[in-house]
């Protein structure tokens, strides 16, 4: 693609992003709006691949961190008095 075609594509993606933002303000976090926003991001990623320039990482993606989950068992006291799902009080205290 030529430089002018890439520039036009980026401008159009920017307009799409604005439209999706307007839809989000009107319809909230509806699944259709999320899919549209995802599609716009994919277009931006694919355009960067065609252009050969690295894509800037969105701020919210930078803030996301991994949360370690330990392999050790939970303290049994956390489950004291809880029913097993589907069993209906199998281990309920009988006082």
């Amino acid at each position: 693609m030529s430089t002018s075609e890439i520039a036009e594509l980026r401008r159009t993606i920017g307009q799409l992003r604005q439209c999706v933002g307007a839809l989000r303000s009107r319809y909230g976090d509806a699944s259709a709006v999320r899919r549209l926003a995802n599609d716009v991001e994919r277009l931006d990623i694919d355009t960067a691949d065609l252009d050969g320039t690295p894509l800037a990482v969105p701020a919210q993606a930078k803030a996301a961190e991994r949360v370690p989950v330990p392999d050790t068992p939970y303290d049994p006291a956390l489950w004291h008095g809880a029913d097993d799902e589907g069993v209906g009080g199998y281990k309920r205290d009988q006082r």
Side-chain angles (χ1 to χ4, degrees):
M1 280 190 163
S2 70
T3 306
S4 62
E5 290 172 327
I6 293 290
E8 177 67 18
L9 184 57
R10 289 195 184 277
R11 186 186 66 73
T12 304
I13 291 170
Q15 289 176 335
L16 278 171
R17 185 169 283 127
Q18 288 178 349
C19 291
V20 171
L23 289 171
R24 183 168 302 200
S25 66
R26 181 172 180 176
Y27 295 106
D29 197 31
S31 60
V33 175
R34 286 194 312 261
R35 286 192 305 268
L36 287 169
N38 187 24
D39 291 343
V40 171
E41 289 304 313
R42 290 295 313 253
L43 287 170
D44 204 15
I45 291 168
D46 292 342
T47 303
D49 285 347
L50 285 174
D51 191 23
T53 59
L55 185 64
V57 178
Q60 65 190 45
K62 291 179 186 176
E65 295 181 14
R66 291 187 181 197
V67 177
V69 178
D71 291 335
T72 57
Y74 288 109
D75 180 8
L78 291 172
W79 310 112
H80 180 71
D83 292 339
D84 289 334
E85 186 176 327
V87 179
Y90 174 71
K91 295 182 178 181
R92 183 175 292 170
D93 291 339
Q94 304 209 4
R95 294 182 187 177

